[in-house]
Amino acid sequence: MGDKEINPIEFEEQHAKTAAFLGIDLYTWASLAVSSLCFVAGLFFSSGSLMRLILMLVSFVASGYGVVSGAVEKLLTEHEVDEKLLVVAAAFLSFLTHMEVDGAALMLFYCLTHLALRYVSARSERSVMAAVDPRANRAVLLDDEGEETVDAASLKPGDTILLRPGDVSPVDAVVLDGYSTVDISAVTGQQEGRTVEEGDSVPSGARNLTSQLQLEVAAPYNSSTMDRMWELLRGEGEESRWEDYLEKYRRLFVPVSVALTAVLTVLFTLIFRSGVGVALHRALVVLIVANPAAFAAALAMTYFIGMHGAARRGVIFKGHGALDAAANCKAMVFDRDGTVTSRDFRVEAIHAGRIDADILLKASAHAAANASAESMRAIVAAYGGPIDYSMIGNFVEYPEGISVEIDGIPVLIGSRDFLLGNSVTLGENDGRDTPALHVSLGGQFAGSILLSNSVQPGCQETMSALDGMGCRDVVLLSEEEGEKTAALAQQCGIHKYYAQCLPMDKLARIQEIRERNSDGATIYVTASDAEGANFACADAGMYLGALDGEGAAEAQIIAMGGSVTCTAEALRSAGITDKVLKEALLGILAIKAVLLLLSLTGLSTALWFAALLDGFAAVGAVLNAVRAFPPEK
């Protein structure tokens, strides 16, 4: 029953099979019952009697066996003295100074408060997990024999399942039959329905709202979107500044507290002219009060609840350090395409060179007819005419463009670098307008198709919200020329921008912004992939998109809704967590300060009282964190 067991995940795993009552095994209940009975019985015997001493020793051993064995094992195997060993030492010293009641009470109440903390932590975790992951562990499997209810973990790719209205998809799947509206807020955090039909994907955690669907399983239960989210939440990330402070405090706690106990014992003996035993006992209260276990429990559970509360709103923080950066964000740097602008492109203009613009558009539309990129599909939509697929051959799609033959003529469409990489000669000023797709016919540059996209809905409101949350430096980086960038920034509600930023320019700008906001964190936000260098240059990188996107692997924060409005939600969730954490730490510090004052003035020298209040301070911190992120009704 030591500090190590406070972790709620370990607690659940340890007691899952032997749970008897409130998730706690019979052995623990029996040992605490024996300890309590012996302690109460010992109070009926006179002070200093052998029977009282024996009963108090039995009480101590029954409740503290786990703490003593854990502390001794750590000392022998890791050669490390931790706070548990000091609690054990304080109890032993109480027995040696003929204060056996206080020693037995210290161990009993220490174990009881830590048991209460473990129970509250485990229940809180279970509640949070249920809110974040709404999946059922059963599914309706369809086969030749009809319907069968099976364990969701047994589903395999290719299986067909039935999803009735109100049901939640346990796995990632594709619609085989049916037309319905599904709620995917468990994945994106966005409270809106999505219409799905045959061929559309349905992520795990999606709730069917209207009509019955037949789904084909696309991935096993333990490889679904929800499981990838859990893996990210439980993964090892950078530690927060609070955890750094706690680690430093823990390293100093043992040597400083031992030295302080010795000094206070001497001082109490000289100043109050009390016996050494009484003085030592008063000094031991300081040792119990200084124990960092309450701080550790408050930190662990507040971060856990805060991160999972944010996940419920569609924001994934990879580690406590990422959440800490968002809570202290002073600058947010936005990339342009797909970040503050929508991903729905439209053709704005056609700059044709040696052929007519209508012919260039028709040839480009045929070339892009089989492409999947939104920018290519915008060309087809702008053409609007019939596509003769018999003319199309040798189609290949690359990340930066496409290669195809139209009636035997080789056609390339893509970025400027894509054409240059395929030995197409461009003039000095050819194809520099962005965003644009550049076209080559028969190996010769034929012209450019300029694209535009609108500002995302809610962009201006988001920028105002960021300013209200203390983000004083909101900046837009764009590859476009100054006039277009200025117009876009105005539409977005962004007052600072840098135009004509090439990749190396972006790194320099991010570093510059980070340096002038050194008192807080700088977050780089993008919806693009391959942004690892920019993420590394900032204090944290935020990716707007799905978990399976390339950018999600590199970013420290993932806004699964893919909308610019998610940035404000990320800062809001992080700010709530940071506020709750500060409240918890200040509350624990206040309780410790009161206990210390009572001890130094001699008003309270009971070790068990100090341990009891310290433990319940940690329980209060956990409950306060749960209150900040209540389950949605």
Side-chain angles (χ1 to χ4, degrees), residues 26-65:
L26 285 173
Y27 172 79
T28 302
W29 281 119
S31 62
L32 288 175
V34 170
S35 177
S36 301
L37 289 173
C38 290
F39 179 78
V40 172
L43 295 176
F44 288 96
F45 292 90
S46 59
S47 177
S49 67
L50 179 61
M51 200 61 197
R52 169 179 275 199
L53 178 61
I54 292 173
L55 287 171
M56 292 301 169
L57 279 172
V58 173
S59 174
F60 171 81
V61 172
S63 61
Y65 173 77

Side-chain angles (χ1 to χ4, degrees), residues 391-579:
M391 298 172 61
I392 304 172
N394 297 326
F395 173 82
V396 182
E397 187 166 13
Y398 300 97
E400 291 190 334
I402 59 172
S403 171
V404 64
E405 290 184 2
I406 304 297
D407 204 18
I409 299 173
V411 179
L412 296 173
I413 304 179
S415 66
R416 176 182 173 85
D417 290 341
F418 180 69
L419 265 65
L420 291 173
N422 282 276
S423 304
V424 177
T425 302
L426 281 74
E428 185 177 346
N429 296 315
D430 288 338
R432 288 193 180 275
D433 291 321
T434 55
L437 292 173
H438 312 299
V439 186
S440 162
L441 299 177
Q444 299 294 316
F445 178 71
S448 301
I449 300 176
L450 272 64
L451 305 173
S452 65
N453 46 5
S454 58
V455 173
Q456 284 194 27
C459 192
Q460 287 196 2
E461 293 81 356
T462 298
M463 301 309 157
S464 297
L466 292 175
D467 183 65
M469 287 185 278
C471 191
R472 59 181 178 235
D473 217 358
V474 179
V475 184
L476 174 67
L477 303 183
S478 174
E479 295 181 3
E480 290 192 320
E481 50 89 21
E483 189 175 333
K484 287 186 177 181
T485 301
L488 176 62
Q490 185 176 12
Q491 285 180 285
C492 295
I494 298 176
H495 304 298
K496 298 178 184 178
Y497 62 87
Y498 294 100
Q500 297 179 318
C501 288
L502 297 175
M504 291 307 297
D505 299 324
K506 286 184 179 181
L507 286 173
R509 293 301 185 187
I510 294 170
Q511 184 62 36
E512 175 188 324
I513 294 165
R514 186 181 181 185
E515 287 174 358
R516 70 170 179 250
N517 293 280
S518 56
D519 59 329
T522 296
I523 297 178
Y524 177 71
V525 184
T526 184
S528 304
D529 296 328
E531 294 278 3
N534 292 328
F535 288 155
C537 190
D539 291 294
M542 184 186 300
Y543 175 70
L544 307 184
L547 291 177
D548 55 359
E550 182 182 331
E554 301 173 325
Q556 292 77 44
I557 307 169
I558 306 170
M560 297 182 290
S563 168
V564 69
T565 59
C566 297
T567 57
E569 188 58 60
L571 264 60
R572 189 175 296 112
S573 296
I576 292 172
T577 305
D578 192 62
K579 176 176 177 289

